[in-house]
Amino acid sequence: MARYKQHSYLIEKTALECGEYAHTRDFRKGTFTDPMRFGMITRLPDLTIFLNTQDNLLDTHVGVVESNKLLIPSVGIVDSNCFPNLITYPVPGNDDTPQAVQLYCRLFKEAILRGKTKRKEFIAKYQSVREA
């Protein structure tokens, strides 16, 4: 999730490369908490990643609040002006510059791809033990 529109392309491209979803548009209240928002029951995310944890200087991002209400784990880049208590795994850092966003996208992409590789290895190992 991103506050600055100039970062949207990079974030969406990174999510696509990982085989995941990105929501960089306006986040409306009830996106997670209203089960019939999209006309059908939707699956909630297993984890949310926030590059910006605030909508503006004073308000916490609606997605952060909703993730917290639904006990969805969250990773968030927490700048000096952010409130880190609602984030499950706060990461201190700058969330404003394009260079920082590029770094975070690269690091999150690497972590996601490594996790998916390990999960595939674990499943293959489990299936081979199960068949034996």
Side-chain angles (χ1 to χ4, degrees):
M1 311 230 178
R3 179 174 52 193
Y4 301 111
K5 298 300 176 201
Q6 65 264 29
H7 300 152
S8 294
Y9 175 74
L10 175 63
I11 294 168
E12 290 173 355
K13 179 180 169 227
T14 303
L16 187 63
E17 291 170 353
C18 294
E20 298 298 329
Y21 300 97
H23 185 80
T24 59
R25 308 295 185 247
D26 291 334
F27 196 93
R28 295 194 177 134
K29 189 173 184 175
T31 299
F32 289 160
T33 55
D34 183 4
M36 298 302 288
R37 177 146 186 101
F38 300 105
M40 64 181 88
I41 295 178
T42 56
R43 182 177 178 272
L44 293 174
D46 296 326
L47 173 77
T48 52
I49 299 174
F50 297 94
L51 296 180
N52 302 103
T53 58
Q54 289 189 294
D55 279 335
N56 53 43
L57 290 175
L58 301 174
D59 298 327
T60 302
H61 193 285
V62 176
V64 172
V65 176
E66 289 193 1
S67 291
N68 194 11
K69 282 181 184 177
L70 295 172
L71 302 176
I72 299 170
S74 58
V75 176
I77 306 303
V78 180
D79 207 342
S80 59
N81 62 341
C82 298
F83 186 66
N85 290 357
L86 299 177
I87 302 292
T88 311
Y89 303 104
V91 178
N94 183 4
D95 61 358
D96 299 324
T97 64
Q99 294 84 3
V101 172
Q102 287 176 350
L103 172 67
Y104 297 133
C105 284
R106 192 173 69 243
L107 292 173
F108 284 128
K109 176 184 170 183
E110 183 68 27
I112 290 167
L113 293 177
R114 282 186 185 186
K116 286 183 172 187
T117 301
K118 287 290 185 185
R119 182 178 61 197
K120 286 179 184 176
E121 290 171 2
F122 177 78
I123 289 171
K125 182 179 177 183
Y126 177 76
Q127 287 177 344
S128 66
V129 168
R130 192 171 173 212
E131 291 173 358

